[in-house]
Amino acid sequence: MRAIGFVVALLAALAPAAGAFAHASLIRSEPTDRAVVAQAPSMLALTFNEPVSPLVVRLVSPTGEATDLKDVVANDARLMIPLPEGLTVGTYLLSWRVISADGHPVGGALTFSVGQRSGRPSGSELDLDYRLRWAILAAKLMLYVGLCVGIGGTFYAAWIAIEPQSLRTRTLIATTLTFGFLAAVMSVGLQGIDALGLPLSEVKEPRVVWASGLATSYGLSAVIAAAALIIGLVTLRTSAKYGRLFSLLALLGAGAALAASGHASAAEPQFLTRPAVFAHVVAVAFWIGALVPLAVAMGLPPRRPAELMRFSRAIPIALLVTVATGIALAVIQVKRLDAFWTTNYGLVLSAKLGAVAVLLALAAVNRYALTPRVVRGNGTAARRLAGSSVAEVLIALVVFGLVASWRFTPPPRALLAAAEAAVHLHIHTDRAMADVTIEPERTGSRQITVTVLDSQFGPLAAKEVTLVLAKPATGIEPLRLAAKHVYCATWRLDGVSILVPGRWTVRFGILVSDFEKVVIEDHIDLPR
């Protein structure tokens, strides 16, 4: 119970960060966020760190009127968004929602102003529906239980136990399969709700919500999972002659379902990640699925030592596949060692690894200490083995909950890709403006390019441009740097070392003449 309490507490701690769990990240927009443009643009471009497909794009005017934008063109990782004609002076908010390559919806917003800034459009805040987040989490947890405990249990009964299972075992397996199927169906509607950014109450709308959920890559996963779970239920009512075939199909379907979508499967190289996810799920389902019927069989005589020996000979292969594929996927997703303690994904992975280590320790005790004694007819060892199997199931539930929470945590590889992208900033004042681009360099430092403009959006002839970067909260002294003139109104700073991520104050001193200096200032968020 302590383990279950731990995972609930951890998931609750992660839930408030729901607005930032993008797996695809916006790395650039044209015009840039908070930019002030002289004339209304006819097109707005969004560039992400990986391919995306548009779901909902909405423009909110300075008066708060919202317009759904159509004819959005997706070109790999770039969206071209036609804007309405006749945009008036003021600040506009563009709210966007896309589906990333891993099948997870991603949303965000940015502002731009025509002519001059006005107040932020009313009704433009992106509210989070935490009930939806918890519903998605619960559905995923139930689905994992159905795929692993239910389908894995049917496979164990057909291939390892061979003899007919008790009524209690069949009832437990059938229950997990049924709830898993219901979760697979409901998760399609929840996916559609999340994709369209609608409230949870809209899940009853089949035409739009459920069709949208099925249209995403997760829709394919849900369909395969539902089919596999149905096959699992059919297996419970078939003869032994066909039971092996059906249970094998169900087990392979469980692996295919989770390999069809998800950030692990979507990671490159996919010729490695998708088979690794498939093999990982199949091995885990065999391992965890065996625990329920094994616990029931060991609890009361007759204890079937031959069945236990067959499982004992097969389980090392499943454990080896589980560990090998898990390590490979973790290396691809984490990228850097410090991501284990500096990212939410890494913290969840660390907790999962701890739980898996306990599972492996219990499995070792069961196989090398208890199994030989059970085979020799020791009833006490059999009861201990049954209790240990129940404990493994409870810990496995913790692991499933942690894995389900990854739906809300971007993998470090996605964060790293976003960090390696250029950061853009537009600073606008009545006297001068600056378009700033900060790009990472191979040495670990950054290159800063700034184009200075006058109040009429024309190039501003400057004799000197200096930059001050400040982060007072950290106690770091401000960085004062002189920019080099490149051409026309463009200046550049090379080799700028910014070791601390987060929000920085950016201040430019623009020397227009010997007697006039313009200072403009804003804030920028810099990734690690």
Side-chain angles (χ1 to χ4, degrees):
M1 295 303 292
R2 290 182 178 179
I4 296 176
F6 167 75
V7 70
V8 171
L10 179 60
L11 299 181
L14 292 174
F21 42 54
H23 303 159
S25 300
L26 180 68
I27 60 177
R28 182 165 56 256
S29 67
E30 302 169 25
T32 60
D33 187 23
R34 295 183 293 167
V36 180
V37 295
Q39 297 179 342
S42 60
M43 188 79 64
L44 195 147
L46 303 180
T47 304
F48 296 82
N49 66 313
E50 64 179 52
V52 297
S53 299
L55 292 170
V56 179
V57 181
R58 186 173 291 118
L59 184 68
V60 184
S61 71
T63 61
E65 181 181 356
T67 303
D68 288 336
L69 302 181
K70 307 298 182 182
D71 302 322
V72 178
V73 177
N75 183 11
D76 196 31
R78 187 177 175 88
L79 295 185
M80 302 301 298
I81 305 169
L83 296 178
E85 296 181 356
L87 296 184
T88 58
V89 172
T91 298
Y92 292 81
L93 180 136
L94 184 86
S95 172
W96 51 267
R97 200 156 185 84
V98 300
I99 197 81
S100 59
D102 55 22
H104 296 154
V106 178
L110 58 88
T111 62
F112 66 92
S113 302
V114 177
Q116 64 182 20
R117 288 193 177 115
S118 61
R120 185 181 179 90
S122 61
S124 62
E125 297 298 327
L126 300 176
D127 297 326
L128 298 175
D129 189 344
Y130 292 108
R131 294 179 305 166
L132 175 61
R133 306 304 179 191
W134 284 107
I136 292 173
L137 180 64
K140 280 193 169 290
L141 178 57
M142 289 171 57
L143 179 60
Y144 294 158
V145 171
L147 292 176
C148 293
V149 178
I151 289 179
T154 63
F155 185 84
Y156 175 90
W159 289 82
I160 303 297
I162 300 178
E163 299 180 26
Q165 297 296 291
S166 67
L167 177 61
R168 178 184 297 180
T169 299
R170 294 198 305 271
T171 301
L172 288 173
I173 293 175
T175 300
T176 58
L177 290 169
T178 301
F179 277 98
F181 175 77
L182 294 176
V185 174
M186 286 302 302
S187 65
V188 174
L190 295 173
Q191 174 80 354
I193 284 288
D194 197 22
L196 299 175
L198 298 174
L200 184 59
S201 58
E202 296 295 324
V203 74
K204 296 177 291 184
E205 295 295 330
R207 292 185 178 179
V208 177
V209 170
W210 292 76
S212 297
L214 281 172
T216 67
S217 60
Y218 180 77
L220 176 60
S221 286
V223 169
I224 297 174
L229 291 160
I230 291 175
I231 294 174
L233 286 168
V234 171
T235 303
L236 294 177
R237 296 181 175 274
T238 58
S239 63
K241 179 180 178 180
Y242 297 104
R244 284 194 166 193
L245 174 61
F246 286 166
S247 66
L248 177 60
L249 289 175
L251 186 67
L252 297 179
L258 298 190
S261 67
H263 47 62
S265 298
E268 296 293 343
Q270 291 192 17
F271 71 85
L272 173 62
T273 55
R274 289 193 188 275
V277 172
F278 174 84
H280 190 74
V281 173
V282 169
V284 169
F286 172 78
W287 175 16
I288 304 302
L291 297 176
V292 170
L294 189 64
V296 175
M298 293 299 106
L300 296 172
R303 295 192 170 92
R304 304 175 182 175
E307 173 184 329
L308 181 58
M309 287 303 299
R310 285 192 295 270
F311 175 72
S312 182
R313 287 192 294 267
I315 191 59
I317 300 174
L319 295 182
L320 180 62
V321 173
T322 297
V323 172
T325 54
I327 290 174
L329 293 170
V331 169
I332 292 172
Q333 293 287 67
V334 173
K335 292 286 189 182
R336 299 190 328 193
L337 185 61
D338 64 344
F340 277 99
W341 58 85
T342 58
T343 66
N344 283 340
Y345 185 100
L347 292 174
V348 173
L349 178 57
S350 299
K352 178 194 172 186
L353 292 176
V356 171
V358 175
L359 279 175
L360 292 174
L362 287 174
V365 171
N366 293 345
R367 187 175 192 273
Y368 296 107
L370 296 179
T371 296
R373 295 165 60 189
V374 174
V375 172
R376 292 194 297 266
N378 190 315
T380 301
R383 288 190 293 273
R384 288 180 179 176
L385 181 58
S388 180
S389 298
V390 172
E392 286 187 70
V393 172
L394 294 177
I395 297 172
L397 294 179
V398 174
V399 174
F400 294 156
L402 292 169
V403 173
S405 74
W406 273 336
R407 166 64 179 82
F408 308 125
T409 52
R413 64 169 176 82
L415 298 176
L416 185 61
E420 291 174 347
V423 179
H424 300 271
L425 173 68
H426 177 86
I427 306 176
H428 181 91
T429 69
D430 293 337
R431 301 182 63 190
M433 292 179 283
D435 285 324
V436 185
T437 301
I438 302 178
E439 300 177 276
E441 297 178 318
R442 292 183 178 179
T443 59
S445 57
R446 310 193 191 212
Q447 180 187 87
I448 302 178
T449 304
V450 55
T451 301
V452 291
L453 307 170
D454 60 24
S455 59
Q456 302 302 313
F457 298 90
L460 177 61
K463 300 182 66 175
E464 179 182 279
V465 174
T466 58
L467 167 65
V468 176
L469 286 169
K471 194 172 175 61
T474 62
I476 299 175
E477 292 295 322
L479 301 175
R480 293 180 173 84
L481 306 167
K484 296 179 181 179
H485 186 244
V486 180
Y487 62 90
C488 190
T490 301
W491 299 71
R492 193 175 68 209
L493 301 95
D494 297 312
V496 181
S497 297
I498 305 175
L499 302 179
V500 180
R503 170 154 289 202
W504 285 75
T505 299
V506 180
R507 184 183 307 116
F508 285 99
I510 305 170
L511 186 64
V512 179
S513 67
D514 292 338
F515 306 100
E516 182 182 5
K517 183 177 183 178
V518 179
V519 177
I520 58 177
E521 180 180 308
D522 206 336
H523 297 87
I524 190 169
D525 293 315
L526 296 178
R528 179 175 295 276

